[in-house]
Amino acid sequence: MKPTLANVSIPLPFDRLFTYSIPDELSDLAIPGARVMVPFGKKFKIGYIVDCPESTTLPAIKPIKDILDPKPVFTEEMLKLCTWIADYYMAPLGEVLRSATPAGLIGESKRTVRLEKNPPQTTIEEWRKRSPRKAAIIHNLQQHKELTITQLQKLTRFENIYVPVNELAKEKYVSVFDSLPRTHIKPKTVTFIRLNTRDNTGDDIRNHLTKLEGRAKKQAAILAALLEQHEDAGLEEKVLIQKTKSSKSVLKTLNERNLIVIEKRTVSREEYDDTAPPEELELTLHQKSALQLIQQAIDSGTHQTMLLHGITGSGKTQVYIEAIHHTLTAGKTAIVLVPEISLTPQIVRRFRAHFENDVVVFHSRLSEGERYDGWKRAREGKASIAIGPRSAIFAPLKNIGLIIVDEEHEASYKQFDSSPRYNARDVAVVRAHLNNSVVLLGSATPSLESYNNALQNKYRLIELPERINTYPLPHVHIVNMRDERKVLRTDSPGTMTSISRILRDHIRQRIGKKEGVILLQNRRGFSPYLICLDCSYIEECSECSVTMTYHKIKNHLRCHYCGRIRKPPDMCPKCRGIRLVYQGYGTQRVEEELQALFPDARIARMDMDSTTRKGSHNRILSRFESGGYDILLGTQMVAKGLDFDHVTLVGVISADTQLLLPDFRSSERTFQILTQVAGRAGRSTVEGEVIIQTNFPDHYSIGHAMTHDFKSFFEEEMKKRAETHWPPATRLALLEARSTGEQAGALLLENMCEKLNQTLPSDSIVLGPSPAALARVKNLYRFHLIIKSSKKTDPTAKMLRESIRRAFPKKLPGDVKIIIDIDPYGVL
Ligand code: ADP
Ligand code: ZN
């Protein structure tokens, strides 16, 4: 018997399916996964068919109006995955399906229909009688040749025309294609100057340089600057002119004397666009045995999760690449998740080099059209590898053999700011399970969760305990800034206190030797506090309970949560005192002090403020790599994934920014960022060193980072988590109320708390409701209820979710919103 009903999920903030009947003409296309247009209230909405129950008696319900795509958007596998996400993360299925749909498909389809050949007149006559919509479509196309679906709907006055259009396409009278807005990326060319090494030896040029130094200073300066560059790398014309304060005419003279070459080079607009030939590397023994285990797992055709714990610089990426080769050879496909694609240009470039067009990259800076193209290439099997941030876990690949999650500990895998609040790392495990395939989680600093799973044999642990070429890990010094600051204040009156003497001396030595220096200060802006010395008043955002950060470059105070901007006051608004000072250090202020200490140093600051323009992040990095900067100073952006072999010194201006946050993951994140940034040093023959400045030199996360001792950190932290009942010792759910009035949210949570206590297993713990650490954001009060449930009594968290469902208010007052976050990354 044919199914006659369709259960449809519509993206709405509540969890419910709506049942429609399937009209006869749609019965072939109305299958699970199809995108449909359905009547909803007085309007029409787009939804997804979830299942088609059979029914003999047709209830009086409305029919589906139209089917939007010739093939369903979701396969059965994806429907299952999305259903799991909706259930586990307690998000409406419609919202999950919507976030799994490629951007280009979400809005109104811009599908275009073109007339390919005229049907015989007799056929048209026939249609006029039996299929007036087809006749009308052909009639209009004969006049206009090409029309969008929307235009056709208007001209024919038929709204549901997808089905007749699809039939006409099958009969080859028309063709259908997508005409989404697309940005055409033209190659961009830039003028570069390099030494003419074909006609001159290095000595020739140095001779010229000496001669020119007396009488043609600018020409000499240019030659000197070019001699500093790596071999034939050269410099951008603009940069060179700026640096040497010269002009195009000077360049012309040097060109005429055959000393330099002026050439146009194409540069990429996108960091990953430039392709380099792949590095063919002989794997090390550790890499080989890791790869062997992974290959066996892939070949076994059964699901398995593997945790690749490889110290920084141990060659994890090469293992990923080889594992993917193996997957493709076996005729399967692979997904690679990376934390933030704009921050990982190097890794994407390496994948491109190896797999070229077999890769689709999903990137938030792509246009809708480009993203949709990528999605289609993956779905049609034209590409077998999808790389991207967390949403790439929804890539429509078939026959998945391997899912890699690089830097699996990263917070960015968790969607925290909108529903569904999923963690792509954990979804990867579920998707792999559905496909009988392998998940490879990789990190130098695994999350407590994953490492714990590995120790309990849920995941298979694979280790890369050595750096490539057995380069040693850098030596780490800890500087106690409490003592150091006292000395600095007497040494250099004024406020030069962000850089200790030892760090200063080491920077001087390293830049003297033209070695690279990376400095981490994980806070942007100039200073995080404007404080009144007389009454201790601190300037806060009027909408959020956070201090306003001073940005010296723009001379304003800015809230980093809501973006509100204010002029700094001249006088304390509370006591009218005038002794207002900026306290604390952001990257801008550290940059200023560095520049004062090293007037000749070329310093690059990399943070969210200096990388707003497309490609600027990559520009800074490639200039640093080619020696155009001496010091790279930045926020966590400089801590991750970078592989520069000239970097020998890494300094951490303050290790304490994260440590002081009231969150159960503060120590873990501190250990991770210190280990990761330290890992940037000493990636070649010159030994690296790391200097960490802190007010808490005895803290265990700093101590274990100093000795590069992940296992000891893990054991100590795990013990703490067990004692205080935080994950992975327990399972966590966070309920957050946001309300305009201060009391409404708290009251609601109190109610829920009571109900939860009645239904939760007795060994669960409910904390709160209490004001969140950030008690107010964008003028909404935030209250938290934290639920810790026991993994023993409730291993799959089923009871936890069921209790929350039952405690959830049937109806919410208009001014309160409740957010459910299962496995939250943090509780701030
Ligand atoms: P990780 O991701 O573990 O920090 P990478 O994969 O970036 O390490 O490798 C560090 C460096 O070592 C890279 O420059 C890479 O090209 C190089 N490398 C990796 N494997 C090998 C190998 N087998 N032989 C030589 N060099 C290698
Ligand atoms: Zn604010």
Side-chain angles (χ1 to χ4, degrees):
M1 181 188 17
K2 267 195 158 184
T4 48
L5 298 180
N7 285 327
V8 174
S9 174
I10 300 172
L12 291 167
F14 49 87
D15 204 7
R16 221 203 104 172
L17 294 178
F18 298 86
T19 307
Y20 294 89
S21 64
I22 301 172
D24 263 353
E25 53 168 14
L26 294 182
S27 62
D28 288 344
L29 294 169
I31 54 175
R35 216 159 50 112
V36 293
M37 184 76 82
V38 290
F40 192 84
K42 287 201 174 98
K43 287 196 201 134
F44 292 97
K45 277 194 184 292
I46 292 177
Y48 306 84
I49 299 184
V50 174
D51 58 9
C52 300
E54 294 185 3
S55 154
T56 37
T57 53
L58 203 63
I61 49 173
K62 290 180 184 166
I64 286 175
K65 185 157 166 272
D66 215 339
I67 306 265
L68 299 189
D69 313 278
K71 265 201 274 172
V73 176
F74 294 115
T75 57
E76 216 166 296
E77 181 233 350
M78 283 298 285
L79 276 181
K80 269 192 203 151
L81 183 72
C82 290
T83 307
W84 181 86
I85 293 173
D87 176 56
Y88 185 82
Y89 292 103
M90 305 188 71
L93 179 61
E95 285 185 354
V96 181
L97 291 169
R98 188 177 49 189
S99 38
T101 310
L105 268 182
I106 288 176
E108 266 304 291
S109 176
K110 296 258 180 355
R111 207 155 286 169
T112 304
V113 186
R114 180 193 289 151
L115 183 65
E116 293 296 344
K117 65 172 190 218
N118 275 309
Q121 200 52 40
T122 47
T123 313
I124 299 181
E125 297 294 332
E126 180 77 20
W127 287 340
R128 287 228 170 90
K129 280 179 244 144
R130 297 203 293 122
S131 170
R133 287 182 297 171
K134 273 163 100 171
I137 291 165
I138 289 293
H139 173 75
N140 280 289
L141 285 175
Q142 280 172 337
Q143 288 175 0
H144 301 275
K145 179 97 178 121
E146 219 178 86
L147 289 165
T148 65
I149 290 277
T150 324
Q151 288 167 327
L152 269 174
Q153 283 167 329
K154 277 204 188 108
L155 290 168
T156 60
R157 299 189 191 188
F158 289 115
E159 287 221 331
N160 39 345
I161 58 166
Y162 287 91
V163 171
V165 164
N166 283 333
E167 275 173 25
L168 285 168
K170 251 190 235 158
E171 293 158 354
K172 304 243 181 334
Y173 294 121
V174 304
S175 60
V176 183
F177 55 95
D178 298 304
S179 59
L180 286 162
R182 231 154 278 252
T183 49
H184 288 285
I185 299 184
K186 284 194 221 106
K188 182 182 165 189
T189 59
V190 170
T191 309
F192 267 79
I193 314 293
R194 64 176 169 87
L195 291 171
N196 183 343
T197 45
R198 204 194 56 184
D199 302 336
N200 307 281
T201 64
D203 283 340
D204 291 344
I205 291 169
R206 273 185 283 275
N207 284 340
H208 277 286
L209 174 63
T210 335
K211 275 188 235 150
L212 288 169
E213 254 162 0
R215 49 200 173 81
K217 285 215 174 66
K218 296 224 158 126
Q219 291 186 40
I222 289 171
L223 290 185
L226 291 175
L227 275 169
E228 270 178 29
Q229 303 307 309
H230 236 357
E231 296 177 2
D232 272 355
L235 272 176
E236 229 187 289
E237 182 184 55
K238 237 179 22 206
V239 176
L240 185 61
I241 288 177
Q242 225 174 19
K243 201 173 146 161
T244 55
K245 303 199 175 59
S246 60
S247 65
K248 282 197 185 182
S249 67
V250 187
L251 289 174
K252 213 173 132 218
T253 316
L254 281 169
N255 188 32
E256 282 162 7
R257 304 177 72 174
N258 267 335
L259 288 169
I260 61 167
V261 179
I262 303 177
E263 63 190 10
K264 293 246 183 243
R265 289 188 202 164
T266 39
V267 295
S268 62
R269 286 164 197 272
E270 286 295 336
E271 28 276 314
Y272 56 81
D273 260 351
D274 42 351
T275 42
E279 282 182 293
E280 294 303 338
L281 302 169
E282 169 81 20
L283 292 189
T284 64
L285 285 179
H286 286 300
Q287 284 175 319
K288 271 190 196 142
S289 53
L291 182 63
Q292 210 172 15
L293 290 172
I294 299 163
Q295 289 178 338
Q296 280 166 5
I298 295 169
D299 293 342
S300 78
T302 53
H303 166 61
Q304 195 176 139
T305 301
M306 312 182 104
L307 175 62
L308 180 65
H309 175 211
I311 62 169
T312 54
S314 60
K316 292 183 287 292
T317 313
Q318 207 58 34
V319 174
Y320 300 158
I321 288 170
E322 297 295 334
I324 294 175
H325 270 304
H326 187 82
T327 311
L328 300 190
T329 315
K332 296 179 182 172
T333 62
I335 297 178
V336 183
L337 300 184
V338 291
E340 276 154 278
I341 211 142
S342 61
L343 296 186
T344 41
Q346 282 184 324
I347 181 171
V348 175
R349 214 179 289 147
R350 277 165 75 182
F351 280 104
R352 283 255 168 177
H354 276 271
F355 303 107
E356 298 173 6
N357 282 333
D358 220 3
V359 176
V360 281
V361 179
F362 293 101
H363 191 298
S364 60
R365 282 184 172 170
L366 296 178
S367 70
E368 266 187 15
E370 288 163 328
R371 261 184 281 178
Y372 176 58
D373 280 349
W375 184 84
K376 238 172 56 174
R377 281 212 303 133
R379 168 157 129 163
E380 289 166 1
K382 289 184 182 142
S384 346
I385 307 161
I387 301 186
R390 62 173 177 255
S391 61
I393 194 57
F394 298 117
L397 290 169
K398 288 187 197 91
N399 198 14
I400 293 173
L402 177 66
I403 305 179
I404 293 170
V405 185
D406 186 33
E407 309 291 358
E408 64 85 25
H409 62 279
E410 280 285 335
S412 68
Y413 288 124
K414 172 79 175 172
Q415 177 153 304
F416 68 95
D417 49 359
S418 62
S419 168
R421 292 179 165 73
Y422 66 101
N423 187 326
R425 174 197 63 203
D426 301 334
V427 174
V429 174
V430 176
R431 188 156 187 201
H433 188 76
L434 292 174
N435 284 277
N436 288 322
S437 53
V438 174
V439 180
L440 182 59
L441 308 176
S443 176
T445 51
S447 61
L448 275 252
E449 282 82 350
S450 296
Y451 202 76
N452 189 50
N453 280 336
L455 293 188
Q456 299 191 342
N457 291 325
K458 280 190 200 148
Y459 298 170
R460 166 106 200 220
L461 184 62
I462 308 175
E463 302 196 292
L464 294 177
E466 270 177 12
R467 280 189 153 184
I468 294 297
N469 298 324
T470 57
Y471 294 138
L473 283 166
H475 186 261
V476 183
H477 315 260
I478 307 284
V479 182
N480 183 347
M481 285 306 276
R482 280 183 215 236
D483 301 340
E484 183 66 17
R485 234 173 251 117
K486 289 177 203 148
V487 183
L488 287 173
R489 284 208 186 92
T490 26
D491 261 17
S492 59
T495 48
M496 306 275 277
T497 53
S498 74
I499 296 158
S500 61
R501 290 162 299 161
I502 176 169
L503 180 56
R504 187 180 61 201
D505 295 345
H506 280 74
I507 294 175
R508 181 166 296 131
Q509 279 168 23
R510 296 293 178 175
I511 60 180
K513 288 194 259 180
K514 296 254 169 282
E515 294 171 4
V517 175
I518 290 183
L519 297 178
L520 168 76
Q521 172 62 347
N522 202 8
R523 187 173 255 161
R524 66 199 169 94
F526 183 82
S527 130
Y529 312 103
L530 177 62
I531 183 167
C532 168
L533 288 183
D534 293 323
C535 73
S536 299
Y537 168 85
I538 293 180
E539 189 79 0
E540 278 193 4
C541 174
S542 56
E543 308 279 305
C544 313
S545 52
V546 289
T547 62
M548 298 284 273
T549 300
Y550 180 56
H551 286 250
K552 191 165 185 181
I553 294 172
K554 304 226 157 119
N555 189 32
H556 63 210
L557 296 166
R558 193 192 310 160
C559 170
H560 283 180
Y561 283 86
C562 71
R564 194 163 293 265
I565 284 168
R566 204 183 302 157
K567 251 190 70 168
D570 303 320
M571 183 193 300
C572 173
K574 203 169 134 205
C575 75
R576 320 203 105 232
I578 51 163
R579 298 203 302 147
L580 293 171
V581 293
Y582 294 109
Q583 234 170 42
Y585 283 86
T587 43
Q588 290 177 11
R589 190 171 197 177
V590 176
E591 182 185 21
E592 202 176 281
E593 293 200 349
L594 275 175
Q595 203 68 76
L597 287 171
F598 308 105
D600 297 328
R602 295 159 306 164
I603 302 166
R605 176 169 57 83
M606 196 160 86
D607 53 30
M608 249 155 67
D609 302 309
S610 71
T611 52
T612 45
R613 280 178 42 205
K614 198 168 168 171
S616 47
H617 176 268
N618 203 37
R619 265 198 299 283
I620 296 177
L621 291 182
S622 35
R623 220 176 129 185
F624 178 61
E625 182 166 27
S626 63
Y629 290 118
D630 304 304
I631 301 174
L632 175 65
L633 159 72
T635 53
Q636 39 138 5
M637 286 182 182
V638 303
K640 297 174 186 171
L642 303 179
D643 183 27
F644 297 128
D645 55 14
H646 76 300
V647 174
T648 54
L649 173 64
V650 163
V652 178
I653 304 298
S654 169
D656 309 339
T657 37
Q658 181 81 47
L659 203 55
L660 298 176
L661 295 177
D663 189 79
F664 71 95
R665 235 182 263 279
S666 290
S667 299
E668 182 183 353
R669 297 188 78 173
T670 301
F671 177 82
Q672 284 165 349
I673 196 166
L674 293 180
T675 306
Q676 295 284 348
V677 75
R680 303 311 114 209
R683 286 176 162 248
S684 79
T685 42
V686 191
E687 209 172 315
E689 64 184 334
V690 179
I691 297 174
I692 297 177
Q693 307 188 142
T694 174
N695 290 327
F696 309 96
D698 300 326
H699 195 281
Y700 65 102
S701 62
I702 293 174
H704 293 310
M706 180 174 85
T707 49
H708 308 288
D709 191 351
F710 172 79
K711 282 192 187 97
S712 301
F713 172 75
F714 173 83
E715 277 160 21
E716 195 158 350
E717 178 71 7
M718 198 60 209
K719 217 171 113 218
K720 286 221 155 64
R721 302 271 179 99
E723 280 162 14
T724 47
H725 310 288
W726 288 105
T730 54
R731 201 179 290 275
L732 200 64
L734 177 69
L735 303 184
E736 176 174 320
R738 290 184 193 167
S739 57
T740 39
E742 194 171 353
Q743 286 316 310
L747 271 174
L748 226 114
L749 286 186
E750 235 159 71
N751 248 320
M752 286 184 77
C753 182
E754 243 167 70
K755 288 190 195 144
L756 281 166
N757 277 326
Q758 287 162 18
T759 51
L760 280 168
S762 57
D763 54 354
S764 335
I765 302 167
V766 186
L767 303 176
S770 53
L774 262 167
R776 202 162 52 108
V777 170
K778 294 183 192 169
N779 231 355
L780 290 176
Y781 289 92
R782 297 169 77 228
F783 279 85
H784 279 169
L785 199 62
I786 290 169
I787 313 168
K788 299 168 172 179
S789 92
S790 151
K791 283 190 166 170
K792 269 203 206 96
T793 357
D794 189 16
T796 56
K798 234 190 166 118
M799 289 196 262
L800 172 67
R801 283 173 284 141
E802 192 45 43
S803 298
I804 296 175
R805 258 182 212 117
R806 279 204 231 158
F808 206 86
K810 292 275 163 314
K811 228 178 141 133
L812 278 173
D815 61 338
V816 188
K817 208 178 149 191
I818 302 249
I819 288 159
I820 304 175
D821 194 345
I822 305 290
D823 299 339
Y825 190 78
V827 291
L828 288 177

